[in-house]
Amino acid sequence: MGIHSEYFTVSKVSVKAGGSISIPCLYEPLYRNHVKYLCEGYFWVSCSYAVKTDKPDNSGTFSISDATNQRIFTVTINNLPDKDTHYWCAVELKNQGDVKHRFQLSVATGVPSLYVEQQEITAFEGGSVTVMCHHKYTKVTNWCRLGSTCVTGQTGSIEGTTVTINASVPNVFNVTMSELRTESSGWYWCATGDLQMPVHITVNESTSTTTTTMSPGTSRTLPTATQHSSLFTSTEPHTAQPTNSTLNGAGGESLQDEHSSAKMTILITTLTVLHLLVVVAAFFGWRMIRRNKTKPEGPDITAGSQTGSNPDVLYATIVHDQHVAAQKKSHVPEESVTYSTIVMKDIVPQMTEPAEGSVICSTLHSKI
C-alpha cells in the first residue's frame, strides 16, 4: 500500500460528499525543516496550492500540521465536494523539483465503499484496541502502518504489536491490536481492493501504582491511572476506568468493612428500640382497656328511709334516675320490674298477722 519511496501516502480513499477526511503524508528525515503543502489537481504541472505549513488557509476548507518528530504532516479537507478529486502531498525544495505524491478522493453521495466511524483513537500502553472497518465488497482485507509493513492474514505483527483480523461479520472486518506500546502510536489504514482508510492511534503511557506510608502497619494504595486498556471499537474513544483505592488498617481489615459493621450495628440498635416502644405502648393500651371494663357502674336507683311519728312504721323512698336509666334502656327489657326489700326495725314485734292499724308503707317515685 502506498509507494515506498522517499515520500509517500495513501493512494485512494473513499469519502462521503460534504464530510471531511484527514490524510497523513510521510517524508524523509532530511525534510524536517522544509515547507510542506497540499496541491489540488490531477496533473502536477497544473495543480494549485491548497494550503501550506507557512501559509494557512483562512477559508476553513483545508488545514495542515507537521509532526517533525514523527516525520509526518497531516492535511485535513472539510466540506468535500460531490466529485472525485486528486491532490498532491508535497515538500518544497530549493533549486530542485519538489518531492510529491498524488492521492485520489473517491466521493460518494451515500455510504462510502470503505470507512471507519472515527479516524482518531486513543489507547493505553499494555492494552489493546479494536478498529471496525466497514466495506461494501468482499475482497482481500489488509491492515498496514504508514511507512512500515502490512498484515494480510488473520494474525500477524507490526513492529512488535500483535494484530488479529476477524472478518466473520459480513461487510465488516475487525482489526485488534494488542500488547500496545507507546511506539505503536502512529497512522495506520484499512485496505480492501484499491481503497485505503487512514486511522490514527495514540498510545498513552500508563502510570504505575504508588504506595504512601501513613503509619506503622498502615498503607494506602493510590492508583493514578489504569494499568491496561479495555477492548473497544473505533466508534468510541477509549477512556481510562479508575480502580478503587483501599485503605488497610493495622488489624488487616479495611475501612470499608468497618464502615459496613458500624452501619449494621446502628440498624440493629434502632430496630430494637422501636420494638421496645411498640411493646410498652401495647401494654399501656391493654391496661387502659382493662380498667375501663372493670370500672363499677353506679346505680340508677336511689333509696332512702325515714321514720314517721309512729315508731312502728318505717317509710322507704326509692327514686329512679331517668338519666342512668336512659343509658341502660337498650339493655333492659321494656317491661322491667324494680324490687324493693323492706327490713323491719328490731323494735317492731314479729307477728304472724299484722295487727289492726299496723301498716307498712312503701312509696316509689319515678323521675319523668
Side-chain angles (χ1 to χ4, degrees):
M1 295 299 121
I3 299 176
H4 290 266
S5 62
E6 62 179 2
Y7 178 85
F8 59 93
T9 183
V10 295
S11 58
K12 186 178 181 179
V13 180
S14 179
V15 294
K16 185 177 181 179
S20 62
I21 188 70
S22 294
I23 304 295
C25 303
L26 180 67
Y27 56 85
E28 292 297 323
L30 68 159
Y31 301 138
R32 292 180 189 273
N33 299 323
H34 287 250
V35 174
K36 288 85 178 178
Y37 63 94
L38 180 68
C39 195
E40 180 180 355
Y42 183 83
F43 297 102
W44 171 251
V45 293
S46 60
C47 75
S48 58
Y49 289 114
V51 64
K52 301 175 67 175
T53 53
D54 63 346
K55 188 179 180 182
D57 174 47
N58 296 325
S59 67
T61 302
F62 303 95
S63 63
I64 187 170
S65 61
D66 187 9
T68 56
N69 58 334
Q70 299 177 5
R71 298 182 293 108
I72 297 175
F73 73 91
T74 304
V75 293
T76 300
I77 306 171
N78 303 309
N79 302 320
L80 294 168
D82 187 10
K83 64 178 181 178
D84 292 356
T85 310
H86 292 80
Y87 294 93
W88 298 79
C89 288
V91 177
E92 189 178 78
L93 302 179
K94 301 292 184 181
N95 303 322
Q96 56 181 316
D98 295 346
V99 178
K100 54 195 177 291
H101 181 78
R102 186 180 66 182
F103 65 90
Q104 176 186 354
L105 295 184
S106 177
V107 182
T109 55
V111 179
S113 299
L114 176 64
Y115 70 96
V116 293
E117 296 293 340
Q118 190 172 343
Q119 278 193 279
E120 291 284 342
I121 301 175
T122 302
F124 285 86
E125 185 179 17
S128 61
V129 64
T130 296
V131 180
M132 297 178 62
C133 300
H134 303 264
H135 60 93
K136 283 187 176 181
Y137 311 106
T138 305
K139 296 181 180 180
V140 177
T141 55
N142 301 324
W143 178 255
C144 305
R145 180 168 186 173
L146 181 64
S148 184
T149 59
C150 298
V151 174
T152 59
Q154 293 183 349
T155 60
S157 177
I158 298 178
E159 298 182 3
T161 302
T162 303
V163 177
T164 304
I165 298 177
N166 182 359
S168 60
V169 179
N171 302 115
V172 177
F173 67 94
N174 299 322
V175 180
T176 301
M177 298 179 62
S178 55
E179 302 174 4
L180 293 172
R181 301 174 298 164
T182 54
E183 295 82 2
S184 303
S185 298
W187 280 96
Y188 298 80
W189 63 63
C190 304
T192 177
D194 61 344
L195 295 173
Q196 306 93 42
M197 173 53 62
V199 177
H200 186 264
I201 297 176
T202 302
V203 180
N204 294 325
E205 293 183 359
S206 58
T207 306
S208 59
T209 303
T210 59
T211 301
T212 304
T213 301
M214 300 177 63
S215 61
T218 305
S219 63
R220 187 176 184 181
T221 302
L222 300 173
T224 55
T226 184
Q227 297 301 307
H228 62 277
S229 164
S230 61
L231 192 66
F232 68 102
T233 65
S234 61
T235 58
E236 297 181 3
H238 179 77
T239 55
Q241 299 295 330
T243 58
N244 294 328
S245 59
T246 303
L247 184 63
N248 295 326
E253 297 181 353
S254 65
L255 287 181
Q256 185 176 0
D257 294 337
E258 294 178 1
H259 183 62
S260 299
S261 299
K263 290 176 64 178
M264 183 60 68
T265 301
I266 294 174
L267 178 61
I268 293 175
T269 303
T270 303
L271 292 176
T272 302
V273 172
L274 291 176
H275 181 72
L276 291 176
L277 290 176
V278 171
V279 171
V280 171
F283 175 77
F284 280 103
W286 174 79
R287 288 290 303 273
M288 292 181 66
I289 294 173
R290 183 180 178 86
R291 181 178 298 178
N292 291 335
K293 286 185 176 182
T294 58
K295 184 177 180 181
E297 299 181 356
D300 57 346
I301 299 176
T302 303
S305 62
Q306 61 181 356
T307 303
S309 58
N310 189 346
D312 296 334
V313 179
L314 177 63
Y315 296 91
T317 303
I318 300 174
V319 180
H320 185 271
D321 192 341
Q322 184 181 5
H323 177 71
V324 177
Q327 296 179 353
K328 300 181 180 180
K329 185 174 182 181
S330 58
H331 304 286
V332 182
E334 186 175 353
E335 296 181 1
S336 59
V337 179
T338 303
Y339 294 92
S340 175
T341 301
I342 303 172
V343 181
M344 299 294 296
K345 287 187 178 181
D346 294 339
I347 59 173
V348 179
Q350 299 294 328
M351 294 181 299
T352 56
E353 293 182 3
E356 186 177 354
S358 176
V359 180
I360 299 174
C361 298
S362 176
T363 305
L364 176 62
H365 297 276
S366 176
K367 294 183 179 180
I368 300 177

